[in-house]
Amino acid sequence: MTNAGKALDAIDVADALRLNGIIGYSTIFGLPDFEMLLRAREKNGDHENRCVKRKLLLEALASELPSGTIRFSSKVVSIEESAYFKLVHLADGTILKAKVLVGCDGVNSLVAKWLGFKPPVFTGRSAIRGSAEFKSSHEFDPMFMQYFGNGLRSGVVPCDDKNVYWYITWSPSSQEKELEENPAQLKRYMLSKLGKVSDEVRAVVENTDLDAFISSPLRYRHPWELLWGNISKGNVCVAGDALHPMTPDIGQGGCAALEDGVVLARCLGEALLKNRSQEIRDEGEQGKEEYKIIERGLNKYASERRWRSFDLISTAYVVGFIQEADGKIMTFLRDKFFSPILAGLLLKKADYDCGKLRSS
């Protein structure tokens, strides 16, 4: 999305990723006869809608860091306070001593729990996400296609010439939840419920290997928790899904996480640079002053991200609720009136610039 591209521009990795993803020019939304351009110009420039593989994104981000910076397969089991530091205990017994602790540990975040947030709640909906690889070109146009009806949302978008990403969301019954344990049965069941989609879209799901898609329940954080919760506390804060777990209905989960990273780096960096000239000889006083500086930077980050996160979580939930509804009245209103409004929200929430790493 546009906002993710601007966040990646701020750290100079966007251009490399743009070489690997196909930009979407338009979207078919809900009904075959409704189409909206994704390249319309808004206040932050032309819209950018691009499907990029997670592996390529992670590799691009990791390549900008010094070797050894990233530690993989490191589950955090507890957090302990030690003067002006945090001691992070890992499952393998390792203890990390941190001046700043940023929890980017997902929807089950231990850091969010330490800050006082409740666990994200289930929406009653589930999502299947998959990637189909074609032996030759899939011949899809660079379009984001989304359909809804019969209590389902489904979408297809090409990533490159041979790979297509797809998803389906629905509200499973207790019997349907059991299908999630059997990928083959779940795939057959989803194909039977796709409804009036094109043969090309149906072929994408059919061509997906059983180990190339996952099913998971959808969870989100009640948005009002962000209004009075501790996004930061002392030298600890949260970002990404640990901060704003949301439903995938406007495609902003990962995009917002990239925004978080840029805003956090700017707020923390500016706080540290502003006070770099101060000389404090006493080691204890220096630790105390550095802690206060970090706290101010994280408080500023929390202030900047609070309402943006609230807005995205709320919008995603409402969009998903309306698109997936299958009652007669809601279906009529959605198909006749709400489709262009919902499509507009997709673009409006992406039309956002988190700024540069350093404010001028």
Side-chain angles (χ1 to χ4, degrees), residues 259-295:
E259 292 178 15
D260 292 340
V262 173
V263 176
L264 175 59
R266 181 174 63 243
C267 292
L268 191 56
E270 288 180 350
L272 293 170
L273 289 172
K274 186 177 180 180
N275 295 272
R276 183 166 40 172
S277 59
Q278 296 182 5
E279 275 193 34
I280 303 174
R281 295 181 181 180
D282 183 82
E283 187 173 333
E285 285 297 315
Q286 183 174 357
K288 180 180 180 180
E289 184 60 30
E290 191 172 41
Y291 179 90
K292 289 182 178 178
I293 292 169
I294 291 169
E295 184 177 34

Side-chain angles (χ1 to χ4, degrees), residues 38-330:
L38 289 178
R39 300 199 74 181
R41 188 171 182 83
E42 296 288 349
K43 65 178 182 179
N44 287 300
D46 291 336
H47 279 294
E48 182 176 5
N49 183 53
R50 190 182 303 272
C51 183
V52 177
K53 288 186 176 180
R54 181 187 293 266
K55 179 175 181 289
L56 295 176
L57 173 61
L58 294 177
E59 288 175 349
L61 295 173
S63 67
E64 296 297 312
L65 297 173
S67 178
T69 301
I70 302 175
R71 184 187 183 109
F72 295 98
S73 302
S74 301
K75 183 181 179 180
V76 178
V77 294
S78 65
I79 302 166
E80 181 184 353
E81 297 194 61
S82 176
Y84 300 112
F85 296 88
K86 293 295 180 289
L87 302 181
V88 182
H89 295 257
L90 305 182
D92 63 1
T94 303
I95 300 176
L96 304 177
K97 189 176 183 181
K99 287 184 178 180
V100 186
L101 174 58
V102 181
C104 304
D105 45 342
V107 295
N108 298 314
S109 171
L110 191 73
V111 180
K113 182 179 179 181
W114 187 90
L115 287 170
F117 282 113
K118 297 177 182 178
V121 296
F122 291 98
T123 62
R125 302 166 56 208
S126 289
I128 302 176
R129 303 173 178 92
S131 178
E133 183 174 358
F134 291 76
K135 294 181 180 180
S136 57
S137 176
H138 51 64
E139 298 183 354
F140 274 96
D141 291 329
M143 301 175 71
F144 168 37
M145 292 161 283
Q146 181 166 264
Y147 305 90
F148 36 80
N150 300 321
L152 262 75
R153 289 175 67 255
S154 60
V156 172
V157 58
C159 291
D160 52 37
D161 291 338
K162 293 185 178 181
N163 291 274
V164 178
Y165 169 76
W166 61 270
Y167 65 85
I168 298 171
T169 68
W170 86 111
S171 300
S173 65
S174 56
Q175 292 179 332
E176 290 171 338
K177 287 180 181 179
E178 297 176 0
L179 292 174
E180 295 182 1
E181 304 298 324
N182 189 318
Q185 289 185 17
L186 181 61
K187 181 178 177 179
R188 287 196 296 270
Y189 180 74
M190 286 295 106
L191 284 169
S192 71
K193 292 198 68 173
L194 275 179
K196 297 179 181 179
V197 299
S198 66
D199 292 339
E200 291 80 6
V201 171
R202 189 177 296 275
V204 170
V205 180
E206 291 175 340
N207 289 340
T208 303
D209 295 333
L210 294 181
D211 60 355
F213 71 87
I214 59 172
S215 176
S216 57
L218 296 179
R219 292 183 285 171
Y220 80 119
R221 172 155 287 129
H222 287 138
W224 52 84
E225 286 189 48
L226 296 178
L227 299 185
W228 55 71
N230 293 319
I231 295 176
S232 70
K233 182 180 179 182
N235 58 351
V236 180
C237 73
V238 282
D241 282 346
L243 168 60
H244 43 62
M246 67 184 77
T247 59
D249 304 289
I250 57 173
Q252 280 297 325
C255 299
L258 293 172
E259 292 178 15
D260 292 340
V262 173
V263 176
L264 175 59
R266 181 174 63 243
C267 292
L268 191 56
E270 288 180 350
L272 293 170
L273 289 172
K274 186 177 180 180
N275 295 272
R276 183 166 40 172
S277 59
Q278 296 182 5
E279 275 193 34
I280 303 174
R281 295 181 181 180
D282 183 82
E283 187 173 333
E285 285 297 315
Q286 183 174 357
K288 180 180 180 180
E289 184 60 30
E290 191 172 41
Y291 179 90
K292 289 182 178 178
I293 292 169
I294 291 169
E295 184 177 34
R296 286 195 293 269
L298 296 186
N299 284 341
K300 184 180 179 183
Y301 157 77
S303 178
E304 288 195 27
R305 298 306 294 165
R306 192 178 304 276
W307 281 104
R308 172 67 171 165
S309 300
F310 176 92
D311 183 25
L312 293 178
I313 292 174
S314 303
T315 303
Y317 183 87
V318 171
V319 168
F321 176 81
I322 294 175
Q323 288 184 343
E324 205 170 285
D326 59 353
K328 291 183 178 180
I329 295 176
M330 183 59 75

